[in-house]
Amino acid sequence: PSPPPTPPPSPPPPFPPPWTRTDKTPNEPAIAAYSPIYIGKPSRRRMLNGDLAWHAPAARPLPPRRPTRRTENCNPCKAKIFGDVTGDCIFNVEDATAVASYVVSFAAFEEGTISWNPFDSWESKYGYSCEWVKAQLNPTLDTFPASKGGDDPNDPRYKQPYISISDLTFLNRATQY
């Protein structure tokens, strides 16, 4: 006897599924889900499995808070917040901007056109000039390389912090997280 005939293959499922939009019309609202919500006193309700449970009211969102710019009574020399260049005890993009402006003013010393180091007289936006705040200008902790006078004891750049675009890039990347 011959084997039984094989049944015909089943039709493939519709692709894309019927609930998927394919026209991709821009700027058209779409509803992902709909659910009524009760805001009020808690009450009991019957669950799908038949049990009774408490239905708590939904919490109302908190009103928005205005951010404060400077932490009150904060001394950045004692708080020691990494990356805080401005001295406001907050590390944010304003600190990276301060480093960017300092890198521009530091370029003359870097090139050797001026002999005094602007790092020695630098003061933060809020008037702090302690060693901790100054150290935040150079998060990579590098000194002048030999090609820029860093190996000559007679050069004013000898063993001085080298504040460059790499420090700015370091702080910019840190403020993005």
Side-chain angles (χ1 to χ4, degrees), residues 45-53:
R45 65 183 177 121
R46 187 165 301 277
M47 306 301 281
L48 288 175
N49 63 4
D51 295 339
L52 290 174

Side-chain angles (χ1 to χ4, degrees), residues 6-172:
T6 59
S10 59
F15 188 81
W19 59 85
T20 305
R21 281 184 62 185
T22 57
D23 62 347
K24 299 189 186 227
T25 308
N27 301 326
E28 199 169 305
I31 298 175
Y34 172 77
S35 174
I37 187 165
Y38 176 76
I39 297 178
K41 294 180 183 178
S43 61
R44 287 172 36 133
R45 65 183 177 121
R46 187 165 301 277
M47 306 301 281
L48 288 175
N49 63 4
D51 295 339
L52 290 174
W54 285 99
H55 175 63
R60 294 185 189 271
L62 296 173
R65 288 181 47 192
R66 284 188 67 200
T68 56
R69 178 61 212 129
R70 182 179 155 89
T71 307
E72 302 299 324
N73 300 325
C74 180
N75 183 347
C77 300
K78 293 179 182 175
K80 295 190 175 183
I81 297 169
F82 286 100
D84 180 26
V85 176
T86 57
D88 60 356
C89 293
I90 299 170
F91 173 56
N92 55 15
V93 75
E94 188 177 353
D95 298 301
T97 306
V99 172
S101 64
Y102 182 78
V103 166
V104 171
S105 66
F106 193 72
F109 180 68
E110 178 186 347
E111 294 166 0
T113 55
I114 59 172
S115 60
W116 57 275
N117 190 346
F119 185 74
D120 296 334
S121 61
W122 182 83
E123 195 173 272
S124 73
K125 178 180 178 181
Y126 292 102
Y128 293 99
S129 62
C130 63
E131 289 303 314
W132 174 262
V133 176
K134 285 183 178 182
Q136 302 316 301
L137 287 168
N138 187 12
T140 56
L141 303 176
D142 49 353
T143 57
F144 272 92
S147 63
K148 297 200 180 217
D151 62 346
D152 181 11
N154 297 325
D155 195 303
R157 298 171 290 187
Y158 179 67
K159 291 190 177 180
Q160 292 295 314
Y162 182 56
I163 300 160
S164 64
I165 197 74
S166 63
D167 297 306
L168 174 60
T169 304
F170 185 91
L171 289 176
N172 273 338

